[in-house]
Every structure is written in C-alpha cells, then in structure tokens.
Amino acid sequence: MFEKNLNIGYLLDFYGDVLSERRRDALDFYYNDDMSLSEIAEEMGISRQGVRDLIKKAEEELFFYEEKLGLAKKFSDAQGHAKRALELCEENGIPGEIKDEIRLLLESVG
C-alpha cells in the first residue's frame, strides 16, 4: 500500500469538481472517508489495483492543476496574510472598522 498525502484532501477541495466523477469518488473514499483500497474496490466494483491506479492518476491530476493554477497556495497565503494583518491591528491599536473588515476577509477565506 502507499502512504497517504494529506495535502491531497486539501487539493481535492479546490479542484475536485474538475476531476471525473470516478476519480473524485475514489479520492473522496480514500482521503475523506478513510476507506481501504479493498473497501473502495468493493464499493466501486473494480479491483484493488484499479482503485490504486485511479487514485494515483487523480493525485497527479490534482498536482498538475495546482502547479498550473496555484489556487490552493494563493488561498492559504491569503489566509495567512489576513491573520497577520489582524494581529498587527490588535498589537498597534488600529481602530475597529479596519479590524472588522479584516475579520470579514478572514471569514470569507476560511
């Protein structure tokens, strides 16, 4: 068996809708439902090797999209910058209206 890359679950949130339903389901079962290859094979009506191949190809596809588009990294970076901006506001006594806007930004990105 191969090790789970937990980053895949995060990428699946961003790019899952562009995968084929079959690939998306295999990844969802494996990463989100924590099903074994055997359990997924039974659920999908294919062999364990077929499941493994689906998962590997779907992972490669997700990494391709992230490499080309970078949406997950941009989103993560935006969260980090918004959190840091809020911290700076609180440390420097910046007025509530600015902090309120940053809080709204944080809520919208995560």
Side-chain angles (χ1 to χ4, degrees):
M1 195 181 298
F2 52 104
E3 280 190 39
K4 289 186 178 182
N5 179 342
L6 299 181
N7 190 39
I8 296 295
Y10 190 64
L11 294 178
L12 187 57
D13 290 340
F14 282 90
Y15 305 110
D17 288 341
V18 297
L19 296 175
S20 71
E21 183 177 354
R22 196 163 172 83
R23 286 183 179 181
R24 184 177 54 249
D25 288 347
L27 285 181
D28 190 46
F29 289 145
Y30 190 68
Y31 286 100
N32 296 330
D33 296 339
D34 201 28
M35 292 171 66
S36 70
L37 297 180
S38 297
E39 291 170 325
I40 299 168
E42 186 176 323
E43 178 74 25
M44 297 182 80
I46 59 176
S47 68
R48 285 182 72 246
Q49 184 62 42
V51 171
R52 185 184 184 291
D53 290 344
L54 269 177
I55 290 172
K56 292 309 282 183
K57 288 177 183 174
E59 288 175 345
E60 289 170 6
E61 192 173 346
L62 290 177
F63 285 128
F64 173 80
Y65 291 132
E66 180 59 14
E67 180 184 322
K68 297 299 179 190
L69 302 172
L71 297 177
K73 179 168 181 0
K74 289 175 186 173
F75 184 82
S76 178
D77 289 349
Q79 282 180 317
H81 292 305
K83 286 178 185 175
R84 181 65 184 136
L86 187 58
E87 289 171 5
L88 288 170
C89 285
E90 290 172 355
E91 288 172 8
N92 294 296
I94 303 296
E97 188 175 345
I98 294 171
K99 286 194 292 189
D100 292 342
E101 288 300 317
I102 294 171
R103 280 190 187 97
L104 290 172
L105 175 62
L106 270 172
E107 288 174 13
S108 71
V109 296

